[in-house]
């Protein structure tokens, strides 16, 4: 039985001239899929799509209150 790859939350950002602008967040198994989902979800133009970066967030342990 093959396990599905884990799904991570990816912030998709646009970096230009030292500035970082967060476009939004998507859930995907890898960076390439995250960028593809962001292009579709946020209606990104082809010119901007080439400059997107997806960075995997570190998961935080669940805290009990």
């Amino acid at each position: 039985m093959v396990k599905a790859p884990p799904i991570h939350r990816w912030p998709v950002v646009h970096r230009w001239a030292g500035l970082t602008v967060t476009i939004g967040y998507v859930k995907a198994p890898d960076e390439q899929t995250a960028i593809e989902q962001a292009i579709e979800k946020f209606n990104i133009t082809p010119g901007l799509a080439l400059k997107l970066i997806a960075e995997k967030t570190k998961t935080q342990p669940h805290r009990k209150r």
Side-chain angles (χ1 to χ4, degrees), residues 28-49:
D30 59 57
E31 180 181 5
Q32 186 61 40
T33 305
I35 292 173
E36 291 170 3
Q37 286 181 2
I39 291 169
E40 205 170 294
K41 182 177 180 180
F42 303 116
N43 199 20
I44 305 294
T45 61
L48 181 62

Side-chain angles (χ1 to χ4, degrees), residues 2-7 29:
V2 177
K3 286 180 122 179
I7 302 296

Side-chain angles (χ1 to χ4, degrees), residues 14-26:
H14 173 244
R15 288 192 181 161
W16 180 73
L19 301 173
T20 301
V21 178
T22 301
I23 304 294
Y25 294 85
V26 295

Side-chain angles (χ1 to χ4, degrees), residues 6-7 51 54 56:
I7 302 296
K51 299 175 184 175
K56 185 167 62 171

